[in-house]
Amino acid sequence: MAVTIRDVAKAAKVSPSTVSRVISDSPQISEATKKKVYKTMKELNYEPNIIARSLANNSTKILGLILPNAENDLFENPFFMQAMRGISVYAQKRGYYIMYAFSKTEDEELKFLEHYIRSKLVDGTILLTSRQNDRCISYLKTTDHPFVLIGRPEQPNGMLWVDNDNFQAMYNVVDYLIRKGHKAIAFIGGPTNLYVTRDRLDGYKKALRTHAIPENSKMIKFTDQFLRECGYKAMMDILSYKTPSAVVTTDDLLAFGVVDAMKEKDVKNIAVVGFNNTYLSGYQNPSLTSVDINAQELGMHAAKLLIDKLENKDMPTTHYIVDTSLVERDSTM
């Protein structure tokens, strides 16, 4: 027979209603009583009924996470895995569960959000992309549904968000390459409607201007997705015009494709830098220099902001800027 609230109450010598209040973390119950009840629950191996608890508290203790790619493509970009780990680890510590949704388009993301909110499946939502004219953000604002964004929002006031300083991170990369003697530096970025692409492009351009190096539009390419084959195609286009001395990309997978193109064309001595410092970077040939954006920390801060909001905690800040660092490897030696 399954252990019930009454069994816990009897063993702890309290009323069933007290056990129920302890489970819902009621401030009316003393810490001493809470410790006694939790100890008894553990001894009896009692697990509260999540559905019943959510009905009583009008809270599911579940966070929705919208992933901007199909489930079978998830392992293509380790950034999402690292961010998900940070979210999951922190949420678990605070007693929350994660409900994942995979979407290939913005339309699909919007449908999932509408379903989450109408059905009251989740208490709050985490978005992993920041786009120009983002319809998902606009919808969430109109519904007053708690959410947090990993990425710089178009209008940050009043929003919860977490990001790196992507402008400064790319500026530092290009400045580093120029100081190593590179002048013909190409740029390969992802979709232009993403703020991460725009911010890193601006950092690239600013570094060139600072060192009085003319900008060349033919050395700047964009891709529809952060995939290896997209980086390959972009690099082949650049090589058909000119052989650069260095290439900066906004994602490690794009950088992997750059190296593939170089090998096919038998082109050597081009420095290559990626972003995200995914675990595959150190195993490439040559190993890839990359910017570590601390994706797991981004995820943890995002979960913290959202849960603090849901639990009405004092919030000294509504956003976090997570530090980045350049990890030098063979591709820039």
Side-chain angles (χ1 to χ4, degrees), residues 174-195:
V174 178
D175 179 73
Y176 154 82
L177 289 170
I178 293 171
R179 292 180 186 278
K180 286 176 71 72
H182 298 282
K183 292 186 177 180
I185 303 173
F187 174 95
I188 298 177
T192 55
N193 67 329
L194 299 182
Y195 282 107

Side-chain angles (χ1 to χ4, degrees), residues 37-283:
V37 171
Y38 284 135
K39 183 174 181 291
T40 304
M41 288 168 58
K42 186 175 182 180
E43 290 172 350
L44 297 179
N45 198 27
Y46 173 73
E47 288 289 342
N49 186 310
I50 295 174
I51 297 175
R53 185 175 66 182
S54 67
L55 290 172
N57 300 333
N58 196 29
S59 170
T60 64
K61 286 283 188 174
I62 298 174
L63 307 179
L65 179 59
I66 306 294
L67 290 154
N69 47 353
E71 62 272 21
N72 57 329
D73 294 333
L74 185 60
F75 292 97
E76 288 284 335
N77 196 325
F79 161 76
F80 295 111
M81 296 297 296
Q82 293 169 9
M84 286 165 60
R85 178 177 173 78
I87 292 166
S88 299
V89 167
Y90 187 85
Q92 183 176 321
K93 288 181 181 178
R94 297 282 292 268
Y96 283 76
Y97 300 88
I98 305 295
M99 179 177 289
Y100 300 98
F102 304 93
S103 58
K104 291 182 179 179
T105 65
E106 188 176 3
D107 287 337
E108 284 187 2
E109 287 182 34
L110 196 54
K111 286 180 181 178
F112 278 120
L113 288 174
E114 291 171 348
H115 176 60
Y116 276 172
I117 294 170
R118 284 199 307 266
S119 60
K120 298 183 179 180
L121 282 171
V122 301
D123 293 341
T125 301
I126 300 173
L127 302 178
L128 273 81
T129 54
S130 177
R131 289 177 290 246
Q132 188 179 29
N133 301 319
D134 197 305
R135 291 155 55 211
C136 293
I137 292 175
S138 297
Y139 172 73
L140 287 167
K141 284 182 174 180
T142 60
T143 59
D144 202 28
H145 177 76
F147 73 98
V148 64
L149 174 68
I150 295 182
R152 179 178 67 84
E154 189 171 13
Q155 297 177 333
N157 292 339
M159 283 185 58
L160 303 179
W161 59 282
V162 181
D163 202 4
N164 310 112
D165 187 339
N166 286 298
F167 171 89
Q168 189 64 48
M170 182 59 86
Y171 177 94
N172 292 344
V173 167
V174 178
D175 179 73
Y176 154 82
L177 289 170
I178 293 171
R179 292 180 186 278
K180 286 176 71 72
H182 298 282
K183 292 186 177 180
I185 303 173
F187 174 95
I188 298 177
T192 55
N193 67 329
L194 299 182
Y195 282 107
V196 64
T197 301
R198 291 165 171 258
D199 290 348
R200 290 175 185 173
L201 175 64
D202 288 344
Y204 162 83
K205 290 181 175 181
K206 175 65 175 178
L208 293 182
R209 289 197 299 271
T210 298
H211 291 275
I213 297 175
E215 178 187 321
N216 186 341
S217 61
K218 292 184 178 180
M219 297 277 275
I220 299 174
K221 299 292 179 182
F222 301 100
T223 64
D224 294 332
Q225 295 175 285
F226 295 108
L227 295 175
R228 188 171 192 144
E229 53 264 36
C230 295
Y232 165 84
K233 184 179 183 303
M235 185 59 176
M236 292 295 278
D237 288 344
I238 290 170
L239 289 173
S240 68
Y241 163 69
K242 182 179 180 178
T243 300
S245 67
V247 181
V248 295
T249 71
T250 61
D251 190 279
D252 283 351
L253 293 183
L254 297 178
F256 297 164
V258 167
V259 175
D260 291 341
M262 288 167 53
K263 289 179 179 178
E264 182 171 318
K265 289 290 189 179
D266 194 26
V267 177
K268 297 179 175 63
N269 300 321
I270 299 177
V272 182
V273 181
F275 256 82
N276 298 348
N277 192 36
T278 60
Y279 62 87
L280 295 172
S281 300
Y283 297 97

